[in-house]
Amino acid sequence: MIKNYIKIAWRNLVSQRLFSFINISGLAVGLAVCMMIMMYVAHEMSYDRFHENADRIFIPQQSFTMNGNTMNMEYMSYAAGEIIKQRQPVVKDYTRTMAYFKPVIASNPEKPDAKFSEKNLLFADGNFFSFFSFKLLSGSAQHVLDRPFTVVLSEDMAKKYFGDENPIGKTIVLKTDSAFTYQVAGVAENNPSNSSIKYSFVTSNQSLLQMKEAKLYTGTKDISFGNFLPYLLLNHASDTATLRRSLDLMAKQDKTFDKVHYSLSALSTTHLKSNFGDSSNLKYLKIFPLVAVLILLLALANYMNLSTARATLRAKEVGVRKVSGASRKTIAAQFYVESALFTTLSFVLGYVLCYAFKPWFLNVLQLKIDSSFLYSPMVLILLAVLFIITILIAGSYPAVILSAFKPVATLKGKMSKATGGVAVRKVFTTLQFALSVGLIICGIVIDRQLYFFRHKDIGINRDNVVMIPVHNTFGNNYNAFKQDVAQLSGIENVATSHHSMFHGYDMVSINGKTKDDITMVASWMGDDQLIKTLGLKWKYAPATGERLAGMDRLVINEAAIAKLHLPVDPVGSYLQSGDQKFKIIGVLKDFNYSSLQSEISPLILFTPPAKFPFFKRDGCNLFAKIKAHTNLPTLLGKIQSLYKKYDADTPFDYTFMDDAFNAQYQAEDRLSSIFSVFTYITIALASLGLFGLAAFTIEQRTKEIGIRKVLGASIGSINSLLSADFLKLVILSIVIASPVAWWAMHNWLQGFAYRINISWWMFAFAGMTAILTAVATVSYHALKAALANPVKSLRSE
Amino acid sequence: MIKITELQKYYRTEEVETIALNKLSIEVKEGEFVAIMGPSGCGKSTLLNILGLLDDPDGGSYLFNNIEVADFNERKRADLRKHNIGFVFQSFNLIDELTVFENVELPLIYTGVPSSERVGRVEKVLDKMQIMHRRNHYPQQLSGGQQQRVAVARAVVNNPKLILADEPTGNLDSSNGNEVMELLTDLNEQGTTIIMVTHSEHDARYSHRIIRLLDGQTVMENIMI
């Protein structure tokens, strides 16, 4: 019997090629989107779960409140892990890691000329490889890090620096602040893409302790903020509450900080909780599954819509089968088998599409997913579940509708208009268009907001400013380099800044009236050319002859006046930080030194004297303002040669301030790209749905159209008669979608301190797009019906 | 074999109620060949649909082989139908996507005949209907007469006790029509009961008895000699 079902399904598929193609490909597109998002979500959810003890590993986090602001810190001092383990019996073991914050220069001493800048140098305790489940390809987990200056390479690094040779026992030079030679003790598998711990090189904390810089990192002997992430392995996953209380108590006893509270995050949740990295993934994680489900439902609704729309063509068959002894159940089973066949083809095509577009999708999201993950049991099970659900839903409605046909009616060609489904179809189509319209509106708002971000006057002249990071490896040569660059012909001006623009700032504590009244304020350090180079404007300029540079003075922005309770014109007043006093010599007009997502916060600008060694110790950034119409590649080439003159090892790197500014909106940019693709897909699917509905309803009105034509109706009048019905649905969908989209986008915009207003034309544009799409879709059927010979349609009655 | 008593069937729209069968009583014995005649709208087809268990009556009794079937649900009707009744329609009603062989095979599939046995039975009946050479053709490749022979083959492949024919020659020319009537007569002579709705006096002469209906009631019965 099944063979017979498949046979007839296949013949139907082949004989109705266009219909089959539309139906299968429509569902395939929906499935592809769903699969892609499913893999992405599964990957995000699977972070760090591959560790054997993942459920028992936790990271402690300290939080404390200062002047109403809560600060969370998970990076702790070197001593913290050991102290916690000693004093907390529920902690079975711990390991500490410190990810080196900047790239290192790596080289194989046998090939000293091949130097590369590498990211992800990890300092870790000796038990790192036995604590976690990263696989070692060579070397033993217990011993690879038990001595100072041994290193474990990732597979990629081993290949890069040692080719096909066995690297074990060989040496590699890693230049951090200074260059050190490490002996290769092991090679580890590349860290899985779903690992929040990233490494290219892992070396022991013991190595760090032997470096002269170590004090900076490992100094304090008690629990305090620091550079290390302590991972705690608990005896039981359920010990967290006990441990948290006990840690709070410990903090109270030690009185290291007032009002310190501990929380514990499970290792597997750190990726999604992380506030330090790019939190945009969390946004997607909320939106995407919803979009995936909606798009799949749309595609399924289309499938059902189109399948049942063609029911009249199959009605006779159902009648014959029933007369030949088929029960309703067997007919339903037949249509289920048929749906299963179509769905299987869609699924295969969807899978192919998913893999074809995966690189694009991952690129837009700036993600990497190991291919091994894509074939992992979890993903295969999810795909199987998706497959089964799709078959069940896709087959359900056609099976119910088609098996209910009465043979008496179908065999006599009297398919009644009550065959049903018109209402259901109308609901489907309206919802599909509502979703399309909603997405178009959201797309426009997101796009306009991004445009606004890019073009808003932020009070900084960010055009043609190139930012060049300079490391402490420059030693005393920075000023010489700066002079050399300033003298290049295309350069208008140069300045020094501690931080790169739009990449963060320091915080400084400013004393208030009482001892406990401390305010944390963003602070910046630069040279006396910085204000000029950035084109910042004065609110109250320094008095004539007043120097900008000096250890006893500072400049503030307007926002700081209110926050620090200063007089309206605070020039000449003093601020105190710790026991140092600073004179306010000028006030800058507010400018957006960080993302437009937030309001302008108070800012303090320090200008240390030229000889102050701060920049030499920490490195800094050279900002070069380039004259208009300068040949950029040539100029950058010249700057690079100057750079290499003073620091041949560290790679030359530069960013344009404009790009850095735009990069702040990457998350929104990505959201916008993905959104537009979802929108296109939704519109395409909705059009398919409308196509199905039009086919169905117009087929039912064949006789009416015939009579109208016999009575003298023109093609145009029939076309508009038929199209009007569908336009009503589209207009209804616009009415439904607009308030929902307004609400969603209104909420989204609340996340930005600087935002656009949602205006009427956005809704009008979305509505017109939907209407034009609908007219184009319906016209095919309407014209076909209007052009048909009425004699034919009337004879069929 | 068939005994209907005071059978009623109405068709209702929102405002009008049309009586299709008005307390109709008919009896058909096993092995009979009965023709039902009457003007359009007299209830012939309604009667045939009810007899064929494709439709249910609104009142009265229908005994099929002494079993009351008037109140059977759809599943039971389908079950009874597939084992006992074959249908022949004016418009043949073959499935376009299936070949001649597959169309005829269909009832056997639904009665659960194993596939090895089906081939033999289908071939036998195709042979008997003289369309064996067309077994792999699709319906639209056949003439009307050939299509109706396939339809008859499909109706008899399950050896039903009763064949219901609804104007079986209505779409055929006279020579093809006569051929189909000969086939039905042969089947009747081999013991199959046949009830045929027809407009054609010529066709009706092949039967043993003519029941004439008007407005859902029997107006006359002619016994053919």
Side-chain angles (χ1 to χ4, degrees):
Chain A
M1 184 125 40
I2 296 261
K3 210 174 109 194
N4 182 275
Y5 293 163
I6 293 178
K7 194 157 60 188
I8 194 158
W10 182 254
R11 284 181 195 160
N12 257 309
L13 190 152
V14 175
S15 70
Q16 306 286 336
R17 280 184 203 92
L18 178 70
F19 161 76
S20 307
F21 172 76
I22 292 177
N23 213 354
I24 291 174
S25 54
L27 188 54
V29 169
L31 280 168
V33 171
C34 206
M35 285 176 197
M36 228 177 302
I37 292 178
M38 208 173 69
M39 284 174 186
Y40 160 69
V41 173
H43 185 257
E44 290 293 306
M45 296 299 200
S46 71
Y47 258 75
D48 298 318
R49 288 185 202 274
F50 59 88
H51 296 293
E52 203 182 312
N53 295 322
D55 59 327
R56 291 194 288 140
I57 299 176
F58 291 86
I59 302 168
Q61 195 177 44
Q62 286 186 325
S63 64
F64 71 103
T65 309
M66 189 190 254
N67 251 14
N69 298 319
T70 304
M71 315 273 277
N72 291 310
M73 294 298 285
E74 41 182 21
Y75 290 88
M76 295 194 185
S77 57
Y78 184 69
E82 179 63 28
I83 296 174
I84 292 174
K85 193 203 161 188
Q86 278 174 6
R87 294 177 52 181
Q88 303 296 341
V90 297
V91 177
K92 191 179 172 205
D93 200 3
Y94 72 94
T95 196
R96 291 163 293 195
T97 63
M98 184 187 98
Y100 196 66
F101 56 96
K102 56 185 184 188
V104 296
I105 311 293
S107 62
N108 178 346
E110 289 170 20
K111 304 167 200 161
D113 291 338
K115 287 180 181 168
F116 300 97
S117 164
E118 303 287 359
K119 285 180 186 162
N120 299 332
L121 164 64
L122 192 70
F123 290 95
D125 279 338
N127 63 350
F128 179 79
F129 283 98
S130 44
F131 189 91
F132 292 114
S133 307
F134 297 111
K135 279 186 205 123
L136 278 173
L137 300 174
S138 52
S140 89
Q142 280 75 34
H143 302 297
V144 280
L145 297 176
D146 61 359
R147 285 174 292 133
F149 298 108
T150 58
V151 68
V152 174
L153 308 181
S154 73
E155 221 178 328
D156 281 352
M157 290 301 120
K159 195 152 227 157
K160 184 166 176 183
Y161 290 93
F162 297 97
D164 294 331
E165 296 170 45
N166 179 7
I168 303 294
K170 301 209 156 127
T171 56
I172 187 163
V173 176
L174 298 177
K175 188 177 177 197
T176 42
D177 282 334
S178 322
F180 294 95
T181 303
Y182 296 79
Q183 188 178 44
V184 178
V187 176
E189 225 175 46
N190 289 332
N191 55 272
S193 56
N194 54 356
S195 169
S196 62
I197 301 169
K198 306 276 182 209
Y199 58 78
S200 299
F201 306 94
V202 186
T203 179
S204 59
N205 286 331
Q206 286 186 57
S207 323
L208 188 68
L209 293 176
Q210 303 216 350
M211 297 176 187
K212 68 176 190 317
E213 303 90 338
K215 258 198 186 149
L216 203 65
Y217 307 121
T218 57
T220 57
K221 295 277 174 263
D222 49 15
I223 299 182
S224 61
F225 304 140
N227 296 288
F228 290 86
L229 264 185
Y231 296 90
L232 308 178
L233 175 67
L234 308 193
N235 288 322
H236 304 285
S238 55
D239 289 337
T240 48
T242 325
L243 179 60
R244 203 164 39 78
R245 275 196 302 273
S246 177
L247 284 170
D248 279 353
L249 197 69
M250 187 174 86
K252 212 170 187 178
Q253 287 165 355
D254 293 0
K255 287 184 186 158
T256 39
F257 283 100
D258 291 340
K259 300 170 203 155
V260 167
H261 284 287
Y262 276 91
S263 56
L264 293 164
S265 8
L267 175 63
S268 53
T269 62
T270 50
H271 168 69
L272 294 178
K273 272 190 190 169
S274 173
N275 297 320
F276 300 95
D278 181 356
S279 64
S280 58
N281 287 346
L282 200 58
K283 282 188 206 165
Y284 301 149
L285 221 51
K286 283 182 192 157
I287 300 172
F288 285 6
L290 182 71
V291 174
V293 169
L294 283 175
I295 286 187
L296 182 64
L297 286 180
L298 272 191
L300 279 170
N302 270 345
Y303 174 84
M304 296 190 271
N305 219 341
L306 282 169
S307 301
T308 50
R310 300 174 39 75
T312 39
L313 294 178
R314 304 290 299 275
K316 189 180 95 180
E317 181 195 329
V318 173
V320 173
R321 283 180 183 273
K322 281 200 167 176
V323 165
S324 303
S327 63
R328 186 166 179 182
K329 221 193 270 172
T330 46
I331 299 281
Q334 183 195 341
F335 284 103
Y336 247 110
V337 170
E338 201 163 314
S339 289
L341 177 76
F342 272 75
T343 314
T344 307
L345 291 173
S346 300
F347 201 85
V348 171
L349 182 60
Y351 195 74
V352 171
L353 286 176
C354 169
Y355 273 78
F357 287 96
K358 191 187 62 167
W360 171 84
F361 180 73
L362 293 180
N363 186 32
V364 171
L365 291 179
Q366 298 188 349
L367 281 179
K368 184 179 166 281
I369 295 184
D370 287 341
S371 48
S372 62
F373 175 81
L374 299 177
Y375 302 103
S376 64
M378 179 166 84
V379 169
L380 296 181
I381 289 171
L382 281 173
L383 284 176
V385 169
L386 178 68
F387 181 58
I388 291 167
I389 289 177
T390 312
I391 289 185
L392 288 180
I393 299 180
S396 62
Y397 187 62
V400 169
I401 290 291
L402 296 175
S403 66
F405 284 163
K406 293 254 181 287
V408 176
T410 59
L411 294 178
K412 296 268 162 93
K414 283 187 215 153
M415 276 298 291
S416 69
K417 286 189 182 176
T419 322
V422 181
V424 178
R425 268 164 240 282
K426 284 186 172 171
V427 171
F428 278 165
T429 308
T430 309
L431 290 180
Q432 285 174 330
F433 266 86
L435 187 63
S436 307
V437 171
L439 283 176
I440 298 173
I441 296 171
C442 296
I444 296 173
V445 174
I446 294 173
D447 184 68
R448 289 290 89 194
Q449 176 68 18
L450 280 173
Y451 182 88
F452 170 76
F453 275 159
R454 295 214 178 86
H455 296 87
K456 187 186 176 321
D457 178 9
I458 57 164
I460 298 176
N461 190 349
R462 59 182 191 271
D463 293 336
N464 288 327
V465 179
V466 68
M467 308 189 289
I468 301 152
V470 173
H471 305 280
N472 54 5
T473 40
F474 257 68
N476 290 322
N477 295 325
Y478 173 69
N479 282 333
F481 171 63
K482 188 167 119 179
Q483 289 308 317
D484 287 354
V485 173
Q487 267 155 41
L488 290 173
S489 62
I491 299 291
E492 195 175 304
N493 198 9
V494 292
T496 308
S497 164
H498 183 208
H499 289 289
S500 160
M501 197 73 202
F502 309 116
H503 266 107
Y505 39 81
D506 296 315
M507 296 295 278
V508 62
S509 61
I510 299 296
N511 303 2
K513 287 184 181 121
T514 61
K515 192 182 152 223
D516 289 338
D517 182 17
I518 287 174
T519 309
M520 299 300 288
V521 180
S523 83
W524 240 19
M525 209 175 277
D527 68 1
D528 54 6
Q529 293 301 304
L530 190 61
I531 292 170
K532 184 178 158 202
T533 309
L534 295 179
L536 306 180
K537 302 270 182 305
W538 290 107
K539 170 98 177 166
Y540 303 112
T544 334
E546 182 87 87
R547 285 175 296 115
L548 269 178
M551 295 304 290
D552 56 349
R553 54 195 61 218
L554 49 75
V555 166
I556 61 172
N557 67 353
E558 278 178 271
I561 298 177
K563 177 86 176 181
L564 298 173
H565 312 295
L566 294 167
V568 182
D569 179 357
V571 174
S573 330
Y574 284 83
L575 286 178
Q576 189 161 353
S577 173
D579 40 20
Q580 263 185 296
K581 263 184 127 179
F582 300 91
K583 181 180 170 194
I584 301 173
I585 55 161
V587 178
L588 287 165
K589 281 191 179 162
D590 277 343
F591 59 96
N592 296 91
Y593 58 91
S594 106
S595 163
L596 288 169
Q597 288 163 0
S598 43
E599 293 274 5
I600 297 172
S601 311
L603 177 76
I604 290 175
L605 180 62
F606 293 102
T607 311
K611 284 182 187 152
F612 187 73
F614 190 83
F615 296 140
K616 188 179 130 194
R617 191 188 77 202
D618 265 24
C620 59
N621 282 270
L622 178 74
F623 291 179
K625 175 94 182 164
I626 298 168
K627 287 179 187 154
H629 314 300
T630 304
N631 182 333
L632 285 176
T634 319
L635 181 69
L636 286 169
K638 285 181 191 163
I639 299 178
Q640 180 170 14
S641 345
L642 291 172
Y643 180 97
K644 287 286 171 196
K645 199 167 96 187
Y646 298 109
D647 187 354
D649 286 351
T650 320
F652 173 71
D653 192 16
Y654 66 89
T655 321
F656 282 93
M657 198 176 279
D658 221 10
D659 294 339
F661 175 75
N662 291 337
Q664 296 177 104
Y665 313 109
Q666 258 175 13
E668 283 70 30
D669 247 345
R670 290 184 230 159
L671 190 66
S672 168
S673 319
I674 295 273
F675 239 83
S676 46
V677 172
F678 285 160
T679 309
Y680 295 137
I681 290 175
T682 316
I683 294 174
L685 289 177
S687 302
L688 267 182
L690 187 63
F691 192 81
L693 177 68
F696 179 76
T697 40
I698 292 177
E699 201 168 276
Q700 289 200 327
R701 292 175 72 175
T702 317
K703 186 179 160 194
E704 178 200 333
I705 296 163
I707 294 171
R708 282 177 188 272
K709 279 190 80 172
V710 168
L711 296 178
S714 70
I715 291 170
S717 72
I718 287 176
N719 190 12
S720 47
L721 170 85
L722 294 172
S723 303
D725 270 5
F726 300 105
L727 283 183
K728 279 181 210 156
L729 298 184
V730 176
I731 290 167
L732 178 65
S733 72
I734 298 171
V735 172
I736 295 172
S738 299
V740 179
W742 180 87
W743 178 82
M745 282 298 101
H746 179 77
N747 280 342
W748 181 72
L749 286 172
Q750 297 309 307
F752 306 106
Y754 300 87
R755 52 183 177 257
I756 54 163
N757 289 318
I758 302 176
S759 57
W760 66 269
W761 68 264
M762 298 173 182
F763 298 91
F765 182 86
M768 277 318 289
T769 309
I771 288 172
L772 290 177
T773 313
V775 167
T777 311
V778 171
S779 291
Y780 170 78
H781 289 292
L783 279 175
K784 205 170 106 183
L787 288 169
N789 184 352
V791 176
K792 249 185 178 172
S793 56
L794 293 179
R795 200 165 48 195
S796 73
E797 272 296 305
Chain B
M1 182 184 203
I2 284 173
K3 187 176 182 189
I4 58 171
T5 320
E6 304 218 323
L7 204 66
Q8 285 180 299
K9 182 75 186 175
Y10 314 114
Y11 289 111
R12 293 184 191 89
T13 61
E14 273 172 26
E15 286 163 12
V16 190
E17 184 175 271
T18 316
I19 300 173
L21 295 178
N22 190 3
K23 298 197 173 175
L24 180 69
S25 301
I26 289 174
E27 194 169 352
V28 177
K29 299 227 155 47
E30 195 156 349
E32 264 197 295
F33 186 161
V34 177
I36 298 173
M37 297 190 75
S40 290
C42 70
K44 302 185 298 281
S45 292
T46 307
L47 175 62
L48 206 65
N49 289 337
I50 292 174
L51 291 179
L53 300 167
L54 296 174
D55 207 348
D56 38 15
D58 294 320
S61 144
Y62 175 11
L63 292 179
F64 187 91
N65 278 339
N66 294 319
I67 302 164
E68 180 57 67
V69 296
D71 49 2
F72 267 25
N73 63 20
E74 192 177 331
R75 192 182 55 77
K76 276 173 141 176
R77 285 191 305 197
D79 206 45
L80 187 72
R81 194 164 60 217
K82 70 181 170 191
H83 288 108
N84 295 289
I85 306 175
F87 291 86
V88 179
F89 300 95
Q90 178 180 359
S91 50
F92 325 134
N93 281 331
L94 299 174
I95 298 180
D96 295 335
E97 286 78 16
L98 296 183
T99 62
V100 165
F101 182 93
E102 288 160 354
N103 264 293
V104 176
E105 189 190 19
L106 210 55
L108 297 177
I109 291 176
Y110 287 121
T111 39
V113 176
S115 106
S116 51
E117 194 187 327
R118 291 205 297 263
V119 177
R121 281 175 67 174
V122 173
E123 282 178 349
K124 200 170 137 199
V125 71
L126 287 178
D127 210 27
K128 197 162 139 193
M129 301 291 154
Q130 297 172 3
I131 37 170
M132 190 57 181
H133 58 296
R134 294 288 208 168
R135 56 174 289 172
N136 290 325
H137 287 81
Y138 286 91
Q140 53 281 25
Q141 297 169 313
L142 306 182
S143 72
Q146 286 170 326
Q147 287 193 40
Q148 194 61 302
R149 270 189 284 168
V150 176
V152 175
R154 185 181 62 191
V156 300
V157 71
N158 236 342
N159 298 322
K161 295 188 184 73
L162 172 66
I163 286 183
L164 298 174
D166 193 353
E167 304 210 31
T169 64
N171 282 2
L172 300 176
D173 60 34
S174 61
S175 88
N176 272 315
N178 286 342
E179 262 183 48
V180 168
M181 288 316 298
E182 295 294 340
L183 273 176
L184 291 177
T185 311
D186 284 353
L187 288 169
N188 177 245
E189 280 167 4
Q190 286 157 31
T192 313
T193 311
I194 295 178
I195 301 176
M196 172 179 76
V197 163
T198 183
H199 273 121
S200 153
E201 291 288 346
H202 169 81
D203 287 357
R205 268 185 232 127
Y206 285 88
S207 69
H208 302 157
R209 181 156 64 107
I210 300 174
I211 298 173
R212 290 181 194 274
L213 295 185
L214 183 65
D215 295 340
Q217 284 180 310
T218 320
V219 289
M220 195 195 288
E221 289 200 28
N222 309 64
I223 310 292
M224 310 299 289
I225 307 159

